[in-house]
Amino acid sequence: MYNIKEDIKEILLTEEQIRNKVKEIGAKVSEDYAGKDLILLGILKGSVPFMADLLKEIVIPCSMDFMDVSSYGNSTKSSGVVRILKDLDLEVEGKDILIVEDIIDSGITLEYLLKYLEGKKPKSIEIACMLTKPERRKVEIDVKYIGFKVKDYFLVGYGLDYAEKYRNLPFVGILKEEIYK
Ligand code: IMP
Ligand code: MG
């Protein structure tokens, strides 16, 4: 049997590190949003494992929704144009939205999403992301809950993909170079 773990050069964040961090974030969110009208908004598909784990650590009433977006343009020059592939199902006017994201790289996707969501007149919008690559940031994004700050490696696992694969790894790792070639 071919186990996808064989393709990983180095584990950057273990299952245990991730589990502990998600518990911490879940506890903070539960405190910060007590008495509010919380909607967790996952960005497909990378946020799915984080969303599933975080959801279970939140002890206050909350609902859940998903959006799917894709970035346009070539990779060397990001146009900042983002296309919505799946819109909100829930009515968010007057609600407290917490965007749940896998990783923030340039920040362009979230910048666009924040602008878009502001137009829906929620009471508040904040971001929870598992990973952030501060060195790569092209636009300033205010993130309320950050799991881990990471260097500029290409990462897979815990929702992150390479060519749509490796999302199912329970940890975050660096792919072996030969996989790209
Ligand atoms: P941004 O708009 O540049 O911030 O793009 C963020 C999105 O890029 C994330 O939601 C991921 O889908 C993807 N991404 C960024 N870095 C990585 C990585 O290291 N591995 C896999 N996907 C990544
Ligand atoms: Mg994503």
Side-chain angles (χ1 to χ4, degrees):
M1 186 191 65
Y2 156 55
N3 185 326
I4 56 168
K5 288 177 187 173
E6 291 161 26
D7 296 345
I8 300 302
K9 184 167 82 178
E10 187 191 326
I11 295 179
L12 207 70
L13 300 166
T14 65
E15 284 187 74
E16 196 193 358
Q17 281 176 296
I18 294 170
R19 198 182 314 118
N20 290 337
K21 186 58 79 179
V22 175
K23 273 187 202 290
E24 217 178 274
I25 296 175
K28 278 192 206 137
V29 169
S30 301
E31 270 187 33
D32 295 348
Y33 285 87
K36 295 191 175 174
D37 216 339
L38 174 61
I39 296 182
L40 297 176
L41 175 58
I43 310 306
L44 294 169
K45 295 170 246 184
S47 71
V48 167
F50 181 34
M51 174 65 107
D53 290 344
L54 181 62
L55 189 71
K56 291 178 283 181
E57 298 296 337
I58 293 174
V59 299
I60 57 167
C62 70
S63 43
M64 175 174 62
D65 205 348
F66 288 97
M67 283 183 74
D68 192 6
V69 296
S70 84
S71 299
Y72 261 131
N74 60 52
S75 53
T76 50
K77 191 168 168 281
S78 201
S79 59
V81 179
V82 177
R83 192 161 53 114
I84 294 176
L85 303 175
K86 187 218 164 287
D87 207 339
L88 294 162
D89 290 331
L90 300 179
E91 181 56 59
V92 298
E93 189 175 338
K95 305 282 171 75
D96 296 290
I97 299 176
L98 181 59
I99 297 174
V100 178
E101 181 57 308
D102 50 2
I103 187 165
I104 308 179
D105 191 53
S106 68
I108 286 168
T109 308
L110 277 172
E111 185 189 50
Y112 174 87
L113 263 176
L114 287 169
K115 271 201 203 115
Y116 176 78
L117 291 168
E118 272 159 21
K120 305 272 178 188
K121 307 262 183 288
K123 193 171 171 196
S124 69
I125 313 176
E126 299 287 355
I127 298 165
C129 75
M130 196 60 211
L131 303 168
T132 177
K133 290 179 181 170
E135 294 166 29
R136 299 262 307 166
R137 207 58 42 85
K138 283 189 191 136
V139 288
E140 202 54 51
I141 299 282
D142 198 12
V143 187
K144 187 160 186 177
Y145 309 97
I146 295 174
F148 302 92
K149 287 183 180 160
V150 292
K151 291 241 176 76
D152 183 20
Y153 303 116
F154 188 77
L155 304 171
V156 292
Y158 201 64
L160 296 170
D161 72 303
Y162 168 63
E164 292 297 328
K165 298 287 194 313
Y166 304 102
R167 295 191 197 274
N168 52 320
L169 283 170
F171 51 76
V172 173
I174 303 170
L175 264 188
K176 288 180 179 166
E177 277 100 40
E178 59 253 43
I179 307 297
Y180 304 98
K181 289 162 196 165

